[in-house]
Amino acid sequence: MSKVENVEREVQGLTPSELTAFRRWFLEFDAQAWDRQIEKDVRKGKLDKLAGEALAAHRAGKSKEL
């Protein structure tokens, strides 16, 4: 059995309150992982083209204040 299958089995056995706590933990864990990936991509310049396009669109008046 794979690690993922083990985790799936364990999650299925959680009580409702344990599942609520797990969801909270996982959302934070996943958000931090996403932030680390975005930061890595920024450092490597992977978002430079998109940022340039967004800034150009803004300068051309194609955006608005939120």
Side-chain angles (χ1 to χ4, degrees), residues 25-36:
W25 172 83
F26 188 79
L27 284 171
E28 182 62 27
F29 173 82
D30 194 44
Q32 289 175 6
W34 177 254
D35 287 346
R36 284 190 302 274

Side-chain angles (χ1 to χ4, degrees), residues 37-39 41-42 44-53:
Q37 183 64 52
I38 292 292
E39 289 167 4
D41 290 348
V42 167
K44 289 184 173 186
K46 291 185 175 182
L47 302 177
D48 291 354
K49 181 179 176 190
L50 290 174
E53 290 171 2

